[in-house]
Amino acid sequence: MADSGVTDGAVGKDGIQQAKIEGKELTKEEKQRLRKEKKQQKKNKEKNDENASKESEEKPVSAAAPTPTQSSQKAPSAVPAPASLPVPASEPQPAKSKADMKAERRARQESERASKKKGGAGQPAATGKAKVAPSELQPVVKRLPEHVQVDNPEVLKKLAKKLEKQQIPLRLDYGHKVSLFSHLHQYSRRAPLTQQIGIPSTVIHPAIVRLGLQYSQGIVAGSNARSVALLHAFKQVIRDYTTPPNEELSRDLVNKLKPYISFLNQCRPLSASMGNAIKYIKKEISNIPSQYREEEAKSKLLSCIERYIDENIILAAKAIAKSSIEKISDGDVILVYGCSSLVNHILCEAFEKKKFRVIVVDSRPRLEGREALRRLVQRGISCTYVLISAVSYILPEVSKVFLGAHALLANGYVMSRVGTSQIALVAKAFNVPVLVCCETYKFCERVQTDSFVSNELDDPDDLIVTRKGRTQLEHWQEVPSLGLLNLVYDVTPPDFVDLVITDLGMIPCTSVPVVLRVKNVDQ
Amino acid sequence: MELQAVLMAAGGGSRMTDLTYNTPKPMLPVGNKPLMWYPLNLLERVGFEEVIVITTKEVQKMMSTDPKMKPDVKMKLDVVCIQEDGDMGTADALRHIHSKIKTDVLVVSCDLITDVALHEVVDLFRAHNATLAMLMRKAHEFTETIPGQKGKKKTAEQRDFVGVDESGERLLFMANEADLEDGLSIRKSIMRKHPRMHIKTGLVDAHLYCLKKEVLDFLADNKSISSIRGELVPYLVRKQFSKTINCPNIKDDADDQNLKTKDGSTNQELLISSRDEPLLQLAQERSCWNDHRGDMSVAYHGGKLRCYVHIMDEGLCYRVNTLAAYIDTNRLVSLTPPKLFEEPAVHSTAVISERCQMGSDSIIGAMCQVADKTSIKRSTIGNSTTVKERVKVTNSIIMHGVTIEEGCNIQGSVICSNAVIGRGADLKHCLVGNGQRIEPEAERTNEVIVGTDQLMEI
């Protein structure tokens, strides 16, 4: 239908008006293409020449979506074409030599991209990539996450400048890093960021300082806990916030939150769940209509936060628990790894209805399994405790494996505590079903196939242990060929995961992008 | 705002009356700066912009009028005066300024000289959402001979028993020897929750406390508590483990008797809670962290009231409340001047003749006049002091406005302000009070020379 409307020999203004009439019938893709064209036309404004060419089949690759309809449009003189730019409907194709100009521009973009890649600035390259493939543009433009590149001094300088502008101190890296992970930050727990900010903190809200400290010391650990604590702190920030004169709450509050988020990022890199929560908050804040008074707006935001937590964490946990109970049968031996709040919740709920026993697998240096063990035993579940080195010994007894996730990536990979992929691999080798439990708010649009590119390095001194008064690794920094690596996360490929239990239902690992798309459309 | 600083500068200096009968304790010169400059400097360095100073009218007058006594800090000082009779304890003073306090407080005593990294104490307060966080340090041995002391007297000061948990941060038990009549009794509930406890006795309390706002509200309602160190801190430490209102059976602690009647009503009042309590609980539940292991309880054993202490291993931390401490700190400050203040050891306006032998570990104040052939070693000379020829000053503290005539020999002594030492006097380990005159050719050893009016002031 769109074709017919546009190919009506639209020339100049007639074409525009007709297209405008038909504009309502254009599909989303058409609208996108037209918007793209408008952008390109704006770029070509200076280079307009008088040739009104009819052939405009040569569309540049940059507008990768093929636009057969536009090629059939007659291009009037280029001069009225820019004049028609403000018209929100489709516009006719401009001069033919536009194609040449587009080619030139493409070439220029490529060269810029190449030079930028050498410089190594991640962000422009990412945006360059975004420009290259706008056909993948969803209705909401997504920004790709910043790539951490600690071994690149230019990126570091940019980061330092940005932090200085926000008046947040830069946290320095500590210790010798293993070369494969030298692009990641490595901080020491004994040098907290609060050393460099004044007491009392005036730039950063005290609730955020407290939160950052709790993150860096590991008092609040675990994906759900971190998100809940973050939202709690944001509630306090919103309560204490007053709009300065001549400012709008919807814009100013978002700007106020940015330095806090940088501060928290410096204390400990943000998790995927936290990132999604922050996105949600920012969206809610920007969507506050300007006629709201301050108290109304604040109470609305506070209730939004409450609702977010209720829906995505509390109710989701209930729903997941209900679905998982169906998957647990009497007499099962369930293996869990580390301390996942969701898996613990599921098992505690399921224990009321079914009879099973649990094997808790734990690993150094965090030894989180001890906490999981405590919670399960307190509930009355009979548990066995092993270290991860014994997992292949214990696996023949196991009937199911329940794993928690830190995030689910868009290509179906599961990002979780380091050691999870090992457990999933061994379980696969023994043909034991692996079930991952994850709420949908932890789904992430990132794509990762290995654990190297994006990870977190914890304090290497955690690996040092003192037994019988002797600390062997005490002077590890003096040995030049020795590096201590304390990874936090790893990714598990979807082939090892049999089922993902989410609050939307039980889905295979590969359906994650579907869920993401559905969620985005909802928003 | 996160923290408000309160400086307690109304203390009388009851343990060093020889020095303080004329000069109030906050104004005693240490390294030529008034004593209260040191905690104020600490607060300023850390980033405070405002301090509430609780002091007496006399000190306030001295601060504003006397230029050499003025503590020059850039912060805004909000001076609150209280009566001088000395019946007002530190907690009473806090109650007095309760209306000014809008957030958590950091209480510092004026006689604290330290270079602690304050963020260590405040981080404990922040991270664990503590009710009380304090600072302590292993006590130093005072080595210098104290003037006026006959023989080596081992000060039988009352010891403090401080119990901390394994990590060395959580405060489990605090009692003074005076309060323990028969022996140290520890509640079973503490032992059940923290089976390993380290009890330390050689610690000096720096009198630096971070208190939550709820504690101040509690103080405002409970007028029976008058001293922070003596009553409030032990009460809070005990309250960490007290049972709830349902079973108020407290049999062990004898000194709980007077508070017991109030306990029924105060139990409800010291409720440490915050808004969005359920959210905080949820975050704590979902977090996979516990502060202890080995038993079945949740983090912090579910207790809301928590007291933490930071025990310094190294670094300076002195409380100048006795004569020995005063002398020692003066010595230390003269040895390490760059640490605590940026001014050079010798003030620019001092007139020092070339033939004077001065060690690098001495401090000379402003507008001094030091004549020829003098020797000054390991000493502190105050402002506007005149030192005539052939004087030997070793290991001494000379305060402001003193005149030392020719040929004197002063060793290990403390000469207070405006004193005059006649020519040829020989003083060893003496304390010369304010405005005193030592006659020429006097030879005094190990004496406290003060005015007769002071002797009456017991």
Side-chain angles (χ1 to χ4, degrees), chain B residues 59-77:
Chain B
V59 175
Q60 186 189 26
K61 210 162 48 139
M62 283 179 94
M63 267 169 60
S64 45
T65 58
D66 218 340
K68 57 182 183 256
M69 291 293 198
K70 197 181 166 86
D72 57 58
V73 282
K74 297 189 194 64
M75 304 184 288
K76 180 162 107 60
L77 298 177

Side-chain angles (χ1 to χ4, degrees), chain B residues 1 21 88 175 178 209 333 353 366 381 407 426:
Chain B
M1 224 202 329
Y21 74 92
M88 221 181 188
Y209 306 108
V333 158
S353 76
I381 312 243
D426 189 359

Side-chain angles (χ1 to χ4, degrees), chain A residues 148-151 173 176-186 418 448 450-458 484-490:
Chain A
V148 180
Q149 288 192 348
V150 177
D151 51 354
D173 283 6
H176 170 71
K177 283 191 257 193
V178 173
S179 59
L180 265 176
F181 294 94
S182 55
H183 63 287
L184 299 170
H185 285 289
Q186 181 172 281
V418 66
Q448 227 179 298
D450 60 51
S451 317
F452 297 93
V453 171
S454 169
N455 208 322
E456 187 187 328
L457 290 180
D458 209 355
L484 293 189
L485 180 66
N486 191 356
L487 278 179
V488 181
Y489 299 117
D490 71 3

Side-chain angles (χ1 to χ4, degrees), chain A residues 1-73:
Chain A
M1 59 165 177
D3 287 294
S4 60
V6 173
T7 49
D8 261 351
V11 180
K13 291 246 157 83
D14 297 334
I16 296 160
Q17 273 165 5
Q18 201 143 26
K20 213 159 120 188
I21 298 165
E22 317 285 352
K24 294 183 196 125
E25 297 162 16
L26 291 176
T27 62
K28 254 189 228 167
E29 288 91 25
E30 302 291 320
K31 281 196 201 143
Q32 273 171 39
R33 272 181 242 133
L34 299 168
R35 250 184 274 142
K36 259 178 268 148
E37 276 188 322
K38 201 174 29 155
K39 278 191 213 148
Q40 285 149 16
Q41 292 207 348
K42 274 192 194 154
K43 283 184 195 150
N44 272 344
K45 235 197 255 181
E46 312 90 43
K47 299 171 196 137
N48 279 335
D49 54 340
E50 312 304 303
N51 307 345
S53 152
K54 318 262 171 175
E55 29 170 1
S56 36
E57 314 89 348
E58 277 185 82
K59 271 309 239 157
V61 175
S62 57
T67 57
T69 57
Q70 288 156 350
S71 56
S72 54
Q73 285 172 6

Side-chain angles (χ1 to χ4, degrees), chain B residues 93-166:
Chain B
L94 274 186
R95 201 175 297 129
H96 185 78
I97 56 165
H98 178 238
S99 52
K100 289 188 187 241
I101 305 286
K102 311 266 178 301
T103 158
D104 302 336
V105 266
L106 174 67
V107 180
V108 190
S109 172
C110 67
D111 53 10
L112 175 68
I113 298 185
T114 180
D115 65 348
V116 70
L118 207 54
H119 75 89
E120 309 231 8
V121 181
V122 182
D123 277 354
L124 280 176
F125 184 65
R126 290 164 171 155
H128 298 278
N129 215 355
T131 315
L132 163 75
M134 52 191 283
L135 175 67
M136 286 190 148
R137 201 220 189 280
K138 290 206 219 340
H140 296 272
E141 277 298 319
F142 294 129
T143 47
E144 307 283 343
T145 356
I146 302 153
Q149 227 184 34
K150 318 285 185 228
K152 259 210 180 292
K153 181 172 69 155
K154 269 269 174 323
T155 45
E157 288 220 6
Q158 297 287 328
R159 287 183 297 175
D160 272 328
F161 290 94
V162 178
V164 291
D165 75 340
E166 282 184 285

Side-chain angles (χ1 to χ4, degrees), chain A residues 150-362:
Chain A
V150 177
D151 51 354
N152 191 326
E154 288 180 18
V155 175
L156 273 187
K157 247 195 297 194
K158 266 199 186 166
L159 176 68
K161 247 198 331 201
K162 170 178 155 220
L163 289 177
E164 212 182 283
K165 227 172 24 165
Q166 294 175 331
Q167 294 176 296
I168 310 274
L170 176 69
R171 196 171 182 191
L172 294 170
D173 283 6
Y174 164 79
H176 170 71
K177 283 191 257 193
V178 173
S179 59
L180 265 176
F181 294 94
S182 55
H183 63 287
L184 299 170
H185 285 289
Q186 181 172 281
Y187 302 126
S188 166
R189 197 157 294 142
R190 284 175 305 183
L193 199 51
T194 47
Q195 238 173 349
Q196 295 158 284
I197 62 174
I199 307 163
S201 68
T202 41
V203 174
I204 309 169
H205 192 275
I208 303 278
V209 176
R210 175 174 301 159
L211 188 66
L213 211 59
Q214 287 175 333
Y215 281 165
S216 63
Q217 291 185 0
I219 295 175
V220 175
S223 198
N224 280 335
R226 284 167 77 185
S227 312
V228 173
L230 175 74
L231 291 170
H232 168 81
F234 275 177
K235 272 180 106 173
Q236 296 186 303
V237 169
I238 290 174
R239 274 209 195 94
D240 294 340
Y241 171 76
T242 48
T243 327
N246 305 334
E247 294 275 1
E248 267 203 43
L249 183 138
S250 54
R251 264 177 300 214
D252 188 58
L253 187 53
V254 179
N255 287 339
K256 272 261 158 53
L257 290 181
K258 284 204 183 115
Y260 299 163
I261 295 167
S262 305
F263 175 77
L264 293 175
N265 202 6
Q266 289 283 92
C267 288
R268 193 176 160 191
L270 297 180
S271 67
S273 57
M274 285 165 70
N276 287 341
I278 290 173
K279 259 189 238 156
Y280 173 77
I281 293 267
K282 283 191 175 167
K283 195 173 72 91
E284 286 296 316
I285 296 177
S286 351
N287 283 347
I288 295 234
S290 44
Q291 65 264 24
Y292 270 38
R293 279 176 304 119
E294 195 176 301
E295 303 81 39
E296 269 185 75
K298 286 211 265 193
S299 60
K300 178 166 180 293
L301 285 175
L302 293 176
S303 62
C304 277
I305 293 181
E306 290 267 336
R307 206 180 53 229
Y308 184 83
I309 295 180
D310 259 342
E311 283 174 16
N312 286 308
I313 299 179
I314 301 179
L315 288 178
K318 282 208 186 96
I320 296 178
K322 222 162 68 136
S323 331
S324 336
I325 289 180
E326 302 165 23
K327 290 289 171 191
I328 302 178
S329 22
D330 279 333
D332 257 352
V333 180
I334 299 180
L335 186 124
V336 298
Y337 175 63
C339 184
S340 164
S341 56
L342 187 56
V343 173
N344 291 342
H345 177 85
I346 292 172
L347 293 177
C348 292
E349 296 274 311
F351 194 62
E352 290 167 23
K353 307 211 174 85
K354 306 276 173 88
K355 282 202 246 311
F356 52 88
R357 68 181 179 97
V358 174
I359 298 181
V360 179
V361 178
D362 203 5

